[in-house]
Amino acid sequence: MPSPKRSIHVVAGVITDARGRILLNRRTENSDMAGLWEFPGGKREAGETSEQALVRELREELGIEAEVGEWIMDVPQVYPDKHLRLEVRHIRSWKGSPRGREGQAITWVTPDKLSRYSMPPADLPVVAALRHPDRYLITPEPDADDAAAHQAWVARLARALEAGVRRVQLRTPTSPARVALAEQAVARHRGGVQWLLNRDIDLARRLGVGVHLGSEQLLQLDTRPLPAGQLVAASCHDLAQLQAAQRLGCDFAVLGPVQATTSHADATPIGWAGFESLRAQVSLPLYALGGLGPGDIVEARRHGAQGIASISQLWAGEAAGAGR
């Protein structure tokens, strides 16, 4: 019988300079995952608080005295030899000049360039949380192919965007009138909003926007359906689907349902424990879905999600303070 994997708690810091750049540490040749870049920090020892561990690690690694700020997220991750929980904190301020005191290279990176650096699996969801929205609106389908219903749908979408939503999946089935509705929404609000079309790869390619794949499409595709400049996301409900989305090169996925919903009353909720267990087995950025709203974002991030995906609550305008 194989030995049980050890569990470790690592605390990492997001250190930002006056130019908005973020500090990355490169793992040395004698360490696990040598050569990969990561957010600086290290293992929390017995008897230490997270703050104490991070202050100590940054002093040892970088030669700085840090003031630990607000919590960002926890990322559970399964590695071949261990169960890791990566706790990530902002660094409010520090004294000293950061340098690689353990022989490691360090570099300052603008947020938009973070994805260019090869990182351990646990660090990848952190990059997504720092760079991308913490809520993902999934629009309801327009009620009917008539002008009045479409006008009301467009007005509701505009209110959600005014409330701060910046990543949107458009569910507009492919009748000519509804395709025109998607085209109108994208053309009117293109700047500052990340658009994805539900399942329609050809229309997404034509409009130059992203696509959100249904779980049934994941197993039918051999390669990523859109270039890197256009987002590809997927709906997932189990590990096989998450692994397929990761192999395909999806930018993120939606996982659930976490809680019971009236719209999918026959689906069995996975709960937060189930979400975290699946989250730990992939490095894909994930949104938690199912009976959730903006008030659940903190809880979602405790289990490794970058935020929540929602139809009803975000469509109802409950997006105030959407931030990123």
Side-chain angles (χ1 to χ4, degrees):
M1 178 180 295
S3 300
K5 294 181 180 180
R6 60 196 174 104
S7 296
I8 64 171
H9 187 142
V10 169
V11 190
V14 175
I15 304 173
T16 306
D17 69 6
R19 295 166 57 184
R21 300 177 303 173
I22 295 172
L23 183 66
L24 295 182
N25 232 5
R26 193 172 193 179
R27 298 183 68 85
T28 58
E29 292 303 319
N30 59 354
S31 62
D32 293 339
M33 295 177 281
L36 297 185
W37 294 89
E38 64 184 359
F39 298 97
K43 181 180 176 182
R44 193 177 81 177
E45 302 293 351
E48 285 185 317
T49 66
S50 295
E51 291 84 356
Q52 290 169 339
L54 188 51
V55 167
R56 174 183 53 77
E57 287 285 348
L58 296 182
R59 181 187 303 124
E60 294 171 356
E61 287 187 4
L62 301 174
I64 62 174
E65 293 298 326
E67 182 183 358
V68 178
E70 64 271 24
W71 170 87
I72 298 173
M73 69 185 303
D74 282 13
V75 182
Q77 192 73 50
V78 175
Y79 288 104
D81 61 335
K82 59 180 175 285
H83 292 277
L84 178 138
R85 176 167 292 273
L86 176 64
E87 179 183 348
V88 187
R89 305 286 293 267
H90 280 294
I91 299 302
R92 185 177 296 115
S93 63
W94 73 92
K95 296 178 180 178
S97 298
R99 64 190 187 282
R101 295 190 66 203
E102 299 176 340
Q104 79 277 24
I106 65 172
T107 188
W108 292 96
V109 183
T110 57
D112 62 309
K113 302 285 196 308
L114 285 172
S115 60
R116 299 184 182 183
Y117 288 76
S118 296
M119 293 184 172
D123 290 71
L124 297 176
V126 183
V127 173
L130 292 173
R131 292 194 58 213
H132 298 301
D134 58 10
R135 57 210 75 191
Y136 179 36
L137 168 62
I138 304 169
T139 70
E141 297 178 6
D143 291 335
D145 279 338
D146 67 78
H150 288 183
Q151 185 176 3
W153 188 92
V154 169
R156 182 64 68 86
L157 176 60
R159 288 199 294 274
L161 298 180
E162 289 170 0
V165 167
R166 288 297 174 265
R167 181 173 274 181
V168 181
Q169 178 192 151
L170 293 171
R171 294 200 307 167
T172 53
T174 54
S175 69
R178 294 180 182 185
V179 169
L181 193 61
E183 293 173 335
Q184 175 187 348
V186 171
R188 181 176 295 181
H189 303 285
R190 183 177 288 273
V193 179
Q194 299 174 352
W195 298 104
L196 297 93
L197 300 184
N198 178 265
R199 290 182 169 82
D200 196 332
I201 297 169
D202 291 337
L203 182 58
R205 187 178 291 117
R206 179 162 65 83
L207 295 181
V209 298
V211 68
H212 187 103
L213 302 172
S215 55
E216 78 285 353
Q217 290 177 288
L218 288 171
L219 302 180
Q220 300 169 0
L221 294 167
D222 296 322
T223 59
R224 180 185 169 97
L226 295 176
Q230 292 173 253
L231 291 171
V232 177
S235 292
C236 297
H237 310 286
D238 57 32
L239 180 58
Q241 292 170 3
L242 285 172
Q243 291 172 332
Q246 187 161 286
R247 285 194 303 269
L248 200 61
C250 289
D251 297 286
F252 66 92
V254 168
L255 176 62
V258 174
Q259 299 177 358
T261 66
T262 56
S263 58
H264 295 85
D266 57 337
T268 302
I270 62 175
W272 284 119
F275 180 95
E276 180 170 318
S277 175
L278 292 169
R279 142 82 291 148
Q281 298 177 72
V282 294
S283 59
L284 200 62
L286 299 179
Y287 288 97
L289 174 72
L292 306 174
D296 297 297
I297 290 173
V298 171
E299 185 66 19
R301 288 197 165 188
R302 293 193 190 284
H303 300 281
Q306 78 176 71
I308 59 95
S310 174
I311 301 175
S312 59
Q313 292 200 43
L314 295 182
W315 191 245
E318 297 182 31
R324 284 169 297 277

